[in-house]
Amino acid sequence: MTFIYEVMTWAREGTRVEGRITSLERDPVRFYEGPEFGLQLLMDAWFNGCGALTVDKGAAREFEQCFELFLGKKVWTDAEGHVLDEATKEPLRPKVKAEEHFAGRLDSARGRWDGYDYLVLRPDRQGFLERTAEVIASFRIEGSETGEHADILIEATDPKYVSHMDESHHFKTTFTGHLPR
């Protein structure tokens, strides 16, 4: 995995998180300015274990769903290709073939984990944009003259989305703000 940016945040104030993002590339960069970058940074901070003990459990579940929207959701299947219940790994009733049920929504990715097969749905760009509007109240990024770093301000719509940012954090990210096609 190639990290693109290094992120340093300060402790949150209410629903606001401020920080600095630094490019790990040698060439000057133009930082993505859309609010979806703010959501990606909050998601990645959570994923990297920032505030693991203070994160709101509901927000953690929502961040998991945001990753599924961004990367594509795993659909568990049995050896014959029937959809399995995500929690129990038992076939859904009535049985349904994943290839038929999710026709037109499947990505080419597939794999096997812990004895179960899975398929991956295509990323949901529109769903991610809708979640961004629900989570991010505002996002501001102001790049330096040299293009190597920028100051960021993320304001969430609810304190639960920044509950994991009670302290200063430092992490690297592969997120750029851009969305999958």
Side-chain angles (χ1 to χ4, degrees):
M1 176 178 338
T2 303
F3 293 107
I4 309 296
Y5 298 120
E6 188 171 59
V7 182
M8 177 67 161
T9 64
W10 291 263
R12 74 177 174 104
E13 292 182 26
T15 58
R16 298 167 51 121
V17 175
E18 293 183 68
R20 175 165 281 182
I21 186 166
T22 303
S23 173
L24 297 173
E25 305 284 319
R26 289 190 172 170
D27 297 326
V29 297
R30 184 167 187 272
F31 294 94
Y32 189 87
E33 297 179 9
E36 49 276 13
F37 195 20
L39 178 54
Q40 291 171 12
L41 294 173
L42 292 178
M43 289 165 45
D44 220 14
W46 166 78
F47 181 78
N48 280 290
C50 298
L53 299 176
T54 60
V55 68
D56 178 272
K57 301 307 178 213
R61 282 188 296 280
E62 289 184 55
F63 287 144
E64 288 174 5
Q65 292 168 350
C66 287
F67 272 101
E68 289 177 349
L69 291 170
F70 191 88
L71 299 172
K73 179 178 175 54
K74 283 183 182 176
V75 176
W76 299 98
T77 63
D78 63 15
E80 291 82 39
H82 294 103
V83 177
L84 300 179
D85 180 87
E86 191 173 339
T88 66
K89 302 296 188 279
E90 293 294 321
L92 294 181
R93 298 285 180 211
K95 283 188 171 184
V96 60
K97 290 270 193 177
E99 297 277 349
E100 295 167 10
H101 185 70
F102 295 105
R105 296 178 48 206
L106 290 173
D107 197 20
S108 60
R110 47 187 75 231
R112 186 165 179 81
W113 180 264
D114 203 22
Y116 297 97
D117 295 321
Y118 66 86
L119 304 172
V120 180
L121 299 181
R122 288 188 183 128
D124 184 350
R125 178 186 179 94
Q126 187 58 40
F128 191 83
L129 289 170
E130 290 168 6
R131 287 301 298 140
T132 298
E134 294 169 4
V135 175
I136 303 298
S138 67
F139 176 71
R140 190 175 75 226
I141 185 164
E142 295 177 3
S144 67
E145 295 292 322
T146 61
E148 56 188 52
H149 66 267
D151 293 328
I152 57 171
L153 172 63
I154 305 168
E155 186 164 0
T157 57
D158 189 298
K160 72 180 181 179
Y161 298 122
V162 292
S163 62
H164 59 305
M165 306 301 287
D166 277 346
E167 300 174 5
S168 296
H169 295 290
H170 179 259
F171 60 96
K172 293 180 181 176
T173 187
T174 59
F175 281 117
T176 62
H178 296 93
L179 297 177
R181 293 272 168 215

